Amino acid sequence: MARLLILLLALLTPAALVQARAAPPDRVVILISLDGFRADYLDKGVTPNLAELAKGGVNAAMRPSFPSKTFPNHWTLVTGMVPDHHGIVANRMEDPARPGELFTMASDDPFWWNTAEPIWAMAERAGIRTATMFWPGSDVGWGGTRSRPAAMTSGGERPSDWQEYNQAITNRQRIDAVLDWMRRPAAIRPRLVTLYFDTIDTAGHEFGPDDPRIEPALTEADARIGELVQGLRDMAIPADLVIVADHGMAATSSERVIALDRLADPALYRVIEQGSYAALVPTEGNEERLWKALSASGPNHTCWRKDQIPARLHYGASPRVPPIICLARSGWTITATAPDRAFVGGAHGYAPEDPAMAALFIGNGPSFVPGVHLAPFDNTAITPLLRHLLGLPPVDSLDGTIKPFAGGLRQ
Ligand code: AMP
Ligand code: ZN
Ligand code: ZN
C-alpha cells in the first residue's frame, strides 16, 4: 500500500504532469548506436530492416564531430556539444589538472565526464525514467566524484537501469535486455533507452569498409534490429527509434603511412594518439624545435598548433587537447615509426567533412514523417532531437539545435 502511494505521488509531480502533456506517457524513445556504420553501408543491400526503417521514416548522412572517434562522438550524441566543449576530446587524453594520468576507454573516474550533462541525466532530472544497454559514459556516475586512490565512485547521476560495459555480451542479449525493460508495467518502464553495438566497427577496422567480409556483421546487427522492432510491435509499445553511428570508416593500407620519426626527432615529443591523426606533447623545452620540424605539412597530412586548428573542426580550446595535432588525409595513417609489416583495414578519426566519415542516421516512429531524406547535418543535433522527442523544452546552451529536422518531424 505504501509503495502504491509513493508511486502515485511520483506520478503526480509537476515534472511528470508536464511530460504527460508533452508526449504520450507510454511512448518510448530508443537511441541505438551502430558503432562505425558508415552512412552508405545502407546501399550495400544487406540490411533490409534498416532499409525499411529508413524508408518509413527520416534518414540522412550525419557529420561526426572532430575527432571522428568513438568516445568523443558518443558523448557529443548525448550532450549536444562538440568534444572541445564536452571534455571527451579523444579516446586517449591527458588533463593538466591531473598530471601523470591518462584517460583511456577503460577510465571510469567521473572527473573526465563531468563537463557536459548527458541526456539520461537531463531526463532523470525531469522525472523521466531512463535505461542504458551500454553507451560510453553511461556506466560512470555523472556529476559524481571518485576519491583516489580507492576506486570508489561516490554519488553521481546514473540511468535508473544501466550495465557495466562488456564486449562479450552478444547483440542478441543486448536486444533481449531492452525488450525485458519494455515488458515492465508502464510506471517502471524506461521512457528513454540507449542501445549500443560494437560489432560493425570491429569488422570495419579488420577488413576495411569496402570488403565484402564486413557484410555478415551488418546483416547480424540488422537482424537484431528487426527483432527489436517486432518485439515492440508484439507488445504494442509505440517507439521513436533514433538509429545513429558515431562515425564512418575509411580504407587504410601500409602503402599510405606517414611515420612521425621521419618528420621529427622522437626525443622532441610524446605521442598521445596515433592513426588517422596524431596528438603530440612536446618534451620539456622542445616546443619550438618540434614545431619547426612539423610545420611544413606534407601532401598527405597537416600539423597545427592547438590555437591554429581551423575553426571548422571546433577543436583546440579544451585544456585536454594537446599542443600539436597532425591530421592525415582520408585513408592515410600516422604512426610513431614505420610499420614492420604490410596491412590493409579501416580507420576513422579523420575530418568531419570527409564523406568516408559520414555516419548513419535514421529516425522512425510516431514522431517522424515517413519517407524524408534530410540534408547532411552535424551530430550535435541529436541531443536537441532527443529532448524534443521526450517533451523537454529546447535549451540554448547546447552546440546543436533541432533545425536540421525541420520537415522530418510531425507537429
Ligand atoms: P574506436 O577505437 O574509436 O574504434 O572505439 C571502438 C571500441 O570502443 C569498441 O571496440 C568498443 O569495444 C569500445 N567501447 C565502446 N563502448 C565502450 C564502453 N562503454 N566502455 C569501454 N569501451 C567501449
Ligand atoms: Zn566508433
Ligand atoms: Zn573504431
Side-chain angles (χ1 to χ4, degrees):
M1 187 60 194
R3 277 173 67 184
L4 191 66
L5 266 176
I6 290 170
L7 196 64
L8 279 174
L9 278 174
L11 285 172
L12 288 172
T13 59
L17 290 175
V18 169
Q19 292 321 307
R21 271 200 304 273
D26 60 343
R27 187 177 301 175
V28 57
V29 177
I30 307 184
L31 173 66
I32 304 170
S33 166
L34 306 178
D35 197 317
F37 194 116
R38 195 164 94 174
D40 66 0
Y41 283 178
L42 269 185
D43 305 332
K44 288 183 189 279
V46 296
T47 53
N49 291 301
L50 288 169
E52 189 71 26
L53 290 168
K55 210 172 81 190
V58 177
N59 77 90
M62 183 167 65
R63 265 188 307 271
S65 298
F66 184 77
S68 50
K69 293 279 185 141
T70 297
F71 271 47
N73 277 281
H74 275 87
W75 207 234
T76 291
L77 290 164
V78 296
T79 61
M81 294 196 189
V82 295
D84 216 21
H85 296 160
H86 68 48
I88 305 295
V89 302
N91 283 347
R92 287 165 58 84
M93 60 184 175
E94 296 177 339
D95 189 311
R98 290 283 186 95
E101 260 185 61
L102 178 71
F103 171 90
T104 68
M105 294 195 281
S107 301
D108 62 356
D109 188 330
F111 165 77
W112 297 99
W113 300 91
N114 281 347
T115 312
E117 187 181 28
I119 187 71
W120 52 83
M122 299 175 191
E124 292 277 351
R125 215 157 31 80
I128 298 170
R129 190 179 175 110
T130 69
T132 48
M133 187 55 248
F134 298 156
W135 197 275
S138 66
D139 43 8
V140 178
W142 184 81
T145 56
R146 195 173 78 173
S147 43
R148 292 179 306 140
M152 279 290 297
T153 303
S154 62
E157 184 81 68
R158 281 195 169 92
S160 293
D161 296 279
W162 58 279
Q163 304 268 343
E164 198 169 313
Y165 186 66
N166 178 354
Q167 207 176 0
I169 305 290
T170 65
N171 290 344
R172 173 162 274 135
Q173 287 173 305
R174 300 178 196 195
I175 290 287
D176 284 345
V178 172
L179 288 174
D180 278 345
W181 286 331
M182 293 301 107
R183 251 173 234 118
R184 289 179 178 170
I188 55 160
R189 187 187 304 151
R191 287 198 38 230
L192 169 68
V193 175
T194 74
L195 171 64
Y196 169 81
F197 289 173
D198 49 270
T199 41
I200 294 164
D201 179 70
T202 304
H205 282 296
E206 187 170 353
F207 302 118
D210 310 313
D211 192 304
R213 286 175 292 176
I214 71 165
E215 290 174 8
L218 292 167
T219 303
E220 192 272 342
D222 183 74
R224 299 293 85 76
I225 301 288
E227 287 162 12
L228 175 68
V229 170
Q230 190 56 48
L232 291 165
R233 213 172 273 153
D234 292 347
M235 288 183 260
I237 292 183
D240 281 319
L241 304 182
V242 177
I243 308 175
V244 295
D246 48 351
H247 49 71
M249 192 66 70
T252 53
S253 157
S254 45
E255 304 285 302
R256 297 189 293 277
V257 167
I258 300 144
L260 282 170
D261 63 350
R262 306 258 165 97
L263 304 176
D265 177 354
L268 300 178
Y269 56 88
R270 290 187 298 118
V271 181
I272 309 287
E273 287 257 42
Q274 54 180 306
S276 47
Y277 76 97
L280 305 177
V281 179
T283 46
E284 185 82 34
N286 285 323
E287 187 142 344
E288 286 314 309
R289 278 181 66 202
L290 176 62
W291 181 240
K292 235 174 134 186
L294 292 178
S295 55
S297 298
N300 303 307
H301 79 280
T302 312
C303 297
W304 300 288
R305 294 175 114 140
K306 69 182 284 187
D307 58 355
Q308 300 168 337
I309 297 173
R312 70 188 155 81
L313 296 181
H314 304 289
Y315 204 61
S318 167
R320 297 177 182 177
V321 175
I324 293 180
I325 297 291
C326 296
L327 176 61
R329 209 170 113 192
S330 184
W332 283 73
T333 305
I334 303 178
T335 55
T337 57
D340 51 14
R341 56 178 183 88
F343 69 83
V344 289
H348 51 88
Y350 302 104
E353 68 272 15
D354 173 4
M357 292 302 103
L360 176 75
F361 171 83
I362 298 171
N364 183 294
S367 300
F368 293 98
V369 180
V372 175
H373 182 75
L374 297 173
F377 62 87
D378 295 334
N379 66 352
T380 49
I382 294 298
T383 294
L385 171 66
L386 296 171
R387 288 186 63 96
H388 170 83
L389 298 176
L390 291 168
L392 296 173
V395 277
D396 52 18
S397 54
L398 306 184
D399 289 327
T401 71
I402 204 171
K403 281 197 194 119
F405 303 103
L409 290 168
R410 289 188 204 273
Q411 289 312 306

